[in-house]
Amino acid sequence: DGGITQSPKYLFRKEGQNVTLSCEQNLNHDAMYWYRQDPGQGLRLIYYSQIVNDFQKGDIAEGYSVSREKKESFPLTVTSAQKNPTAFYLCASDPGRGVLTFGAGSRLTVL
Amino acid sequence: SQQGEEDPQALSIQEGENATMNCSYKTSINNLQWYRQNSGRGLVHLILIRSNEREKHSGRLRVTLDTSKKSSSLLITASRAADTASYFCATDPNTGTASKLTFGTGTRLQVTL
């Protein structure tokens, strides 16, 4: 079945640590996205990539980094520079129609 | 910034009733989309309505768009317990790609037996 796989589902981080969230898709979609969701708020765009080896900052990119070395993979690193990283992170892809397919999400908690 | 704002924030109805939620936005759009999110899960795309369309149906879903009022409504008819979820509108300003989609804060729908 085609879809987006995010891992891990739950992640705990100590302050000062970098963590990487995995996002893999087998939908053959060119564009991939990372969103952050906080309680009671809508989704906010962190980074997106419309093609391999290229990515763009979204609205809240500070403290995050990404790479896009393969079409299928778009990992997100939450760095120690992100001061409030506790959130639900969602990866999504778009076949070029402007409609998103989402993964199941990763919940990051800072201890 | 939040482009879409849903109303109400929360809605509780009984199974079999209809549920209506509204979305208002601020700037011109290419299209407006509705997504559903079950608790602790990713979002699922429900329906897209373009700026030149006024109404669209998909199964038990009916979406209307009034560009003069910059508003949209999502109607779920004959609600089921499985419809319990949060519903988000998302607006595409004028690009036709997802890179500029802006999501609202969502309506939490509770359908009780």
Side-chain angles (χ1 to χ4, degrees):
Chain A
D1 289 335
I4 297 178
T5 301
Q6 289 188 241
S7 63
K9 188 170 178 62
Y10 299 97
L11 186 60
F12 299 90
R13 187 193 98 171
K14 294 180 180 179
E15 288 193 16
Q17 284 184 335
N18 293 353
V19 294
T20 297
L21 308 181
S22 171
C23 178
E24 302 280 331
Q25 57 106 349
N26 60 3
L27 299 166
N28 200 33
H29 291 173
D30 285 317
M32 297 186 74
Y33 301 80
W34 274 106
Y35 291 90
R36 171 180 171 140
Q37 186 177 31
D38 294 283
Q41 297 191 31
L43 277 64
R44 291 184 291 168
L45 182 62
I46 304 172
Y47 268 100
Y48 66 98
S49 168
Q50 294 183 314
I51 197 169
V52 174
N53 291 324
D54 185 56
F55 47 83
Q56 307 295 327
K57 292 181 179 180
D59 299 320
I60 55 165
E62 184 174 353
Y64 300 97
S65 66
V66 294
S67 64
R68 186 86 187 275
E69 298 176 359
K70 299 185 301 180
K71 188 174 184 177
E72 302 79 16
S73 179
F74 191 41
L76 173 74
T77 296
V78 184
T79 74
S80 57
Q82 171 49 239
K83 297 307 178 188
N84 185 22
T86 294
F88 191 51
Y89 291 88
L90 288 158
C91 179
S93 68
D94 168 20
R97 297 185 291 113
V99 172
L100 294 170
T101 299
F102 284 86
S106 292
R107 187 169 299 280
L108 172 63
T109 303
V110 174
L111 301 174
Chain B
S1 62
Q2 297 293 340
Q3 163 76 311
E5 296 292 336
E6 286 92 340
D7 169 59
Q9 289 187 330
L11 179 61
S12 183
I13 60 173
Q14 290 190 322
E15 203 171 46
E17 295 181 334
N18 295 341
T20 299
M21 50 205 87
N22 305 294
C23 171
S24 60
Y25 57 93
K26 298 175 183 175
T27 61
S28 62
I29 60 170
N30 173 284
N31 67 69
L32 184 145
Q33 303 174 33
W34 287 91
Y35 289 81
R36 183 188 75 231
Q37 183 180 34
N38 290 88
S39 181
R41 304 289 295 176
L43 281 71
V44 175
H45 179 259
L46 295 176
I47 197 165
L48 178 153
I49 186 165
R50 301 192 186 284
S51 59
N52 61 352
E53 297 175 312
R54 292 296 168 259
E55 188 170 312
K56 205 162 182 180
H57 297 254
S58 177
R60 294 185 294 113
L61 305 180
R62 173 182 164 238
V63 169
T64 61
L65 179 65
D66 186 334
T67 53
S68 67
K69 295 182 179 178
K70 292 185 170 59
S71 68
S72 173
S73 67
L74 171 67
L75 167 68
I76 304 174
T77 60
S79 296
R80 306 166 182 169
D83 294 326
T84 294
S86 292
Y87 292 82
F88 294 87
C89 67
T91 51
D92 172 9
N94 208 18
T95 64
T97 74
S99 62
K100 299 298 182 186
L101 271 182
T102 304
F103 288 82
T105 54
T107 292
R108 293 188 312 277
L109 173 65
Q110 176 76 42
V111 181
T112 56
L113 296 172

